[in-house]
Amino acid sequence: MSSRLTSRRASLARIVALLAAVTLAGCASSSGGLRTGEQAERVQDYDRAVAEYTKILRERPDDTAARMGLERSKLRGSQEHFAKGRQFAAAERYIDALGEFQVASELNPSDAQVSAALKETRDKLRTRLAVTRGGKTELQTLMDRTR
């Protein structure tokens, strides 16, 4: 009977050790994701940081460090995309600018400057299509040239 009791205790000890190992592995992978997000922030790769923090928050929605990192990265990423969009708009590359402004808006929907730039860029793209040359749109002029 004592060997049976010893065997059960050994089995129970192995189960407890296995559960502890699984728990610690889960914590290590989440903290690894947190470190990856922080590293991405340090090198100013905010899009990657947003992705890393988002993954952590899917697993652990109450992780305040990941939530703060996500908010910080979204704001900085939005600013970065907004600046790129302004550069593209200044070079009259409105389609590229539109893409950057849309990403900036998704990262920080409450930014009034981004919303205004997005609207202005959309308007410029519409106007560009409607610009006439000799009574024809750019598309009609191009089609006439190819005939």
Side-chain angles (χ1 to χ4, degrees), residues 97-133:
L98 182 65
E100 293 295 334
F101 291 144
Q102 285 175 329
V103 172
S105 179
E106 287 176 26
L107 292 171
N108 187 7
S110 63
D111 190 328
Q113 282 185 317
V114 172
S115 297
L118 193 55
K119 182 186 179 317
E120 182 180 334
T121 303
R122 285 180 178 144
D123 290 344
K124 285 184 179 181
L125 279 170
R126 281 188 206 105
T127 303
R128 191 178 225 190
L129 292 175
V131 170
T132 60
R133 289 188 184 157

Side-chain angles (χ1 to χ4, degrees), residues 6-19:
T6 306
S7 176
R8 281 189 178 171
R9 284 184 183 164
S11 293
L12 185 60
R14 279 190 290 248
I15 291 171
V16 169
L18 180 63
L19 287 174

Side-chain angles (χ1 to χ4, degrees), residues 7 18-19 23-24 29-30 32 44 51 59 66-67 80 87-88 93-94 103 105 126 131 143 146:
S7 176
L18 180 63
L19 287 174
T23 302
L24 289 174
S29 69
S30 293
Q44 298 178 351
E59 293 174 15
R67 182 147 322 277
E80 188 175 84
Q87 289 173 344
F88 285 134
R93 292 175 54 190
Y94 298 118
V103 172
S105 179
R126 281 188 206 105
V131 170
M143 288 171 58
T146 59

Side-chain angles (χ1 to χ4, degrees), residues 41-73:
E41 273 190 275
R42 276 193 289 281
V43 297
Q44 298 178 351
D45 186 354
Y46 300 115
D47 293 336
R48 189 173 60 129
V50 166
E52 291 297 329
Y53 290 132
T54 301
K55 278 194 277 186
I56 294 167
L57 289 169
R58 279 192 201 124
E59 293 174 15
R60 297 188 343 219
D62 296 331
D63 190 323
T64 55
R67 182 147 322 277
M68 288 174 51
L70 177 63
E71 292 305 315
R72 192 173 50 244
S73 296

